[in-house]
Amino acid sequence: MHQDLRQRESLLQNETSSPVARIDVKSHSTHDLEFDEAARKYRSLKHQQSTTGYLGSDISPHYQPHTLLSRPPSPSSITLELLLASQSHLGHSTSLWNPMNSRYIFGIRQGIHIISLDVTASHLRRACRVVSGVAERGGLILFVGTRKGQDRCVVNAAKLAGGCHLFTRWIPGSITNGPQILGGCKLKIVDEFDRDIQDEVLNEEILDHPALKPDLVVCMNPLENFVLLHECGLHNIPTIGIIDTDANPTWVTYAIPANDDSPRCVQVIAGALGKAGEEGRQRRKERAATGDITYTPFRGDQDERSNARA
């Protein structure tokens, strides 16, 4: 009697502890994952990774394109190796060259001009000092890149430097005829720490204020933005531009001889200029914290009266 009860209890325990088979949603039948083909391939892949994953060479310092946007290089970290890896030395065909670029050309290889990276590095560091100085004095910097693929690096550089960006077509006359073209744009008032000032009196005073002009223009593709550079020259606005072997270096104030057709080269240059602007902004804020303001603040009617006397 007791033996029969023990056998029945053991049978019930085995039935309750045994796993229930999965039911397929489509066929409504039991589906055993042990023999599933996808699961078998996955286990085989994990087994191969665990047994042979340590074999081969170490490729940890490999190139990651997104780091040029998330962590752009600083002006002090610009090296010849970085410029060489970004293809900054490749120019155009010798039949398309501009003779005024002869001082930037290192040599010729397979019918293509090779740009001297020493000159590129020195001119890029000089441009970084210019951007840093303008940002430190509270100047307005405009970053322009209208080619395909330049929008993200231009926006990121403008965000770091606290300036403006343009990645669409430049409207002719935006500087020479700014009051008519940009007259409807709203102006924003910020303090010495780049914080918005919400003052109704000041907001009413700047309604009739003319459109602001940039203090510095950084152009990534001068060939397509000759009108912009010409307007900057008419209004004595300094410019920085990437000059390839087929461009005219006299179009810009501070030329950076490099390959303007390489997206990686443009990202390196734009990131370095943006980081330089960020360093200048940081120095300006540190000086403003001690009461030293590096630019003349806007005083509304007082500035208008002084301009009227002049």
Side-chain angles (χ1 to χ4, degrees):
M1 183 73 178
H2 295 287
Q3 187 175 2
D4 293 340
L5 290 175
R6 291 177 181 175
Q7 290 179 357
R8 290 179 182 178
E9 290 177 357
S10 61
L11 290 175
L12 289 174
Q13 186 177 2
N14 293 333
E15 289 179 359
T16 55
S17 61
S18 61
V20 180
R22 289 271 185 99
I23 299 177
D24 191 7
V25 179
K26 295 183 180 180
S27 61
H28 301 285
S29 61
T30 58
H31 186 66
D32 194 359
L33 292 180
E34 286 293 331
F35 301 98
D36 185 71
E37 185 67 19
R40 187 187 63 81
K41 290 182 179 180
Y42 179 75
R43 287 195 302 270
S44 176
L45 175 63
K46 300 302 290 185
H47 176 69
Q48 291 180 3
Q49 291 179 352
S50 62
T51 55
T52 63
Y54 62 90
L55 300 177
S57 58
D58 185 12
I59 55 173
S60 55
H62 60 279
Y63 168 57
Q64 297 178 350
H66 65 277
T67 56
L68 294 178
L69 297 175
S70 59
R71 298 189 301 271
S74 61
S76 58
S77 63
I78 296 297
T79 59
L80 300 184
E81 291 81 3
L82 178 61
L83 296 176
L84 181 64
S86 61
Q87 301 178 353
S88 304
H89 61 292
L90 298 179
H92 283 274
S93 175
T94 55
S95 61
L96 301 176
W97 81 306
N98 192 314
M100 300 188 70
N101 288 320
S102 58
R103 51 184 173 177
Y104 305 142
I105 295 176
F106 177 77
I108 300 174
R109 183 176 179 84
Q110 297 181 358
I112 297 177
H113 277 126
I114 304 299
I115 302 174
S116 177
L117 293 181
D118 292 331
V119 179
T120 302
S122 61
H123 282 63
L124 179 56
R125 296 190 185 101
R126 181 185 65 173
C128 290
R129 289 194 297 270
V130 173
V131 173
S132 178
V134 173
E136 185 178 0
R137 288 163 178 80
L140 182 61
I141 305 175
L142 175 62
F143 289 85
V144 180
T146 57
R147 285 186 183 176
K148 183 179 180 181
Q150 295 181 353
D151 50 354
R152 295 184 61 187
C153 62
V154 167
V155 172
N156 186 57
K159 187 182 299 183
L160 291 174
C164 304
H165 62 268
L166 175 69
F167 52 82
T168 57
R169 177 179 175 270
W170 171 260
I171 301 177
S174 297
I175 295 179
T176 56
N177 198 17
Q180 282 70 27
I181 296 178
L182 303 177
C185 298
K186 295 182 180 180
L187 297 179
K188 182 174 67 172
I189 304 178
V190 296
D191 58 3
E192 60 272 13
F193 298 101
D194 293 341
R195 296 176 300 194
D196 295 347
I197 299 177
Q198 301 296 336
D199 192 343
E200 296 181 358
V201 178
L202 288 178
N203 291 331
E204 292 178 357
E205 290 181 359
I206 66 171
L207 289 177
D208 298 332
H209 195 277
L212 297 177
K213 297 178 182 178
D215 298 295
L216 177 65
V217 174
V218 180
C219 185
M220 302 301 167
N221 52 332
L223 288 178
E224 290 83 0
N225 294 283
F226 172 74
V227 178
L228 166 62
L229 300 177
H230 180 67
E231 293 183 13
C232 293
L234 294 177
H235 288 263
N236 297 324
I237 299 175
T239 55
I240 297 175
I242 301 177
I243 299 299
D244 210 331
T245 56
D246 61 340
N248 190 347
T250 60
W251 287 359
V252 296
T253 310
Y254 303 98
I256 303 177
N259 182 11
D260 60 351
D261 297 320
S262 173
R264 185 177 178 184
C265 174
V266 175
Q267 290 177 1
V268 169
I269 294 177
L273 296 177
K275 291 292 288 185
E278 185 182 27
E279 294 175 359
R281 288 180 61 197
Q282 187 64 27
R283 290 196 300 268
R284 172 165 56 85
K285 292 180 181 180
E286 292 176 356
R287 294 177 60 179
T290 61
D292 184 12
I293 301 177
T294 59
Y295 63 95
T296 304
F298 177 76
R299 295 189 179 88
D301 296 337
Q302 183 178 354
D303 289 346
E304 293 180 359
R305 289 194 297 268
S306 61
N307 292 334
R309 295 194 194 97

